[in-house]
C-alpha cells in the first residue's frame, strides 16, 4: 500500500513549500512499498509527511495500514535513529551518516540525511525493493536539500502544526 498524499498540500504555502509537497507526493505515489514518509528537522520536529494516520478500519481490502500511531510517531523514530547513528559515527570516527536502514519481519525503515541535520524517513513494506526505495530517497534528497532553508523549515513546521 502506498501512503496518502500530504494533507496540507498547496494550502497557502510558498512555491518552495508546494514544490516539496509535490516531491513527497510523487515519492509516495510512484514508489511501490512505501507505507509512510516523514521529513524531520535537525531538532526532531516534523516538517513534512505523508498521511500515515490511516487506521486499519479505513484501509482498503488486502492493504495494511501504516504503523500504529501517527506521522509524529514516525518523526520521533526517525529523529531518534538519526541521533543514535550520528552519535555512533562520531564515536567510531566514521564521518557523516548518509543512510540508515533497519529491516524487520514486517517492514523496513530507511533514514537518509537531507541537509544541515534534516532527515528523510521512509517506512516500507517487508517485500519492498530496498534498492528502488533508496534510489528514490536519494533523488528526493538531491532535489529537496538545497531548498530547505531556515525560512522554509519554519513555514513547513507551522503548516504541520495547523494540520494536526
Amino acid at each position: 500500500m502506498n501512503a496518502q498524499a500530504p494533507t496540507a498540500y498547496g494550502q497557502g504555502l510558498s512555491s518552495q513549500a508546494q514544490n516539496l509537497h509535490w516531491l513527497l507526493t510523487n515519492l509516495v505515489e510512484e514508489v511501490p512499498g512505501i507505507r509512510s514518509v516523514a521529513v524531520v528537522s535537525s531538532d526532531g520536529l516534523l516538517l513534512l509527511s505523508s498521511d500515515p494516520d490511516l487506521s486499519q478500519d479505513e484501509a482498503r481490502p488486502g492493504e495494511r495500514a501504516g504503523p500504529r500511531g501517527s506521522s509524529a510517531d514516525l518523526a520521533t523514530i526517525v529523529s531518534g535513529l538519526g541521533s543514535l547513528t550520528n552519535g555512533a559515527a562520531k564515536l567510531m570516527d566514521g564521518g557523516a551518516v548518509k543512510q540508515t536502514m533497519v529491516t524487520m519481519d514486517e517492514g523496513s525503515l530507511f533514514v537518509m540525511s537531507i541537509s544541515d541535520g534534516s532527515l528523510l524517513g521512509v517506512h516500507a513494506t517487508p517485500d519492498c525493493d530496498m534498492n528502488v526505495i533508496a534510489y528514490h530517497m536519494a533523488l528526493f534528497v538531491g532535489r529537496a536539500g538545497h531548498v530547505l532553508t531556515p525560512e522554509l523549515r519554519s513555514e513547513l513546521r507551522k503548516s504541520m502544526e495547523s494540520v494536526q
Side-chain angles (χ1 to χ4, degrees), residues 120-133:
L120 171 64
V122 171
H123 178 225
T125 61
D127 61 344
C128 71
D129 185 330
M130 294 179 193
N131 291 323
V132 169
I133 289 181

Side-chain angles (χ1 to χ4, degrees), residues 24-97:
L24 184 73
T25 299
N26 280 348
L27 176 67
V28 167
E29 290 178 352
E30 293 179 8
V31 181
I34 290 181
R35 287 181 173 160
S36 57
V37 179
V39 175
V40 182
S41 68
S42 59
D43 53 359
L45 296 175
L46 182 62
L47 298 177
L48 191 63
S49 110
S50 60
D51 188 13
D53 295 325
L54 185 66
S55 72
Q56 190 63 47
D57 294 338
E58 295 168 316
R60 287 177 267 169
E63 291 183 342
R64 180 176 173 176
R68 146 184 94 88
S70 66
S71 356
D73 291 337
L74 180 59
T76 301
I77 294 165
V78 167
S79 179
L81 189 57
S83 179
L84 179 66
T85 55
N86 283 328
K90 284 180 186 173
L91 286 172
M92 298 174 168
D93 293 325
V97 175

Side-chain angles (χ1 to χ4, degrees), residues 103-118:
T103 57
M104 303 166 279
D105 287 342
E106 297 301 321
S108 295
L109 175 65
F110 302 83
V111 178
M112 190 174 284
S113 298
I114 298 177
S115 64
D116 68 330
S118 297

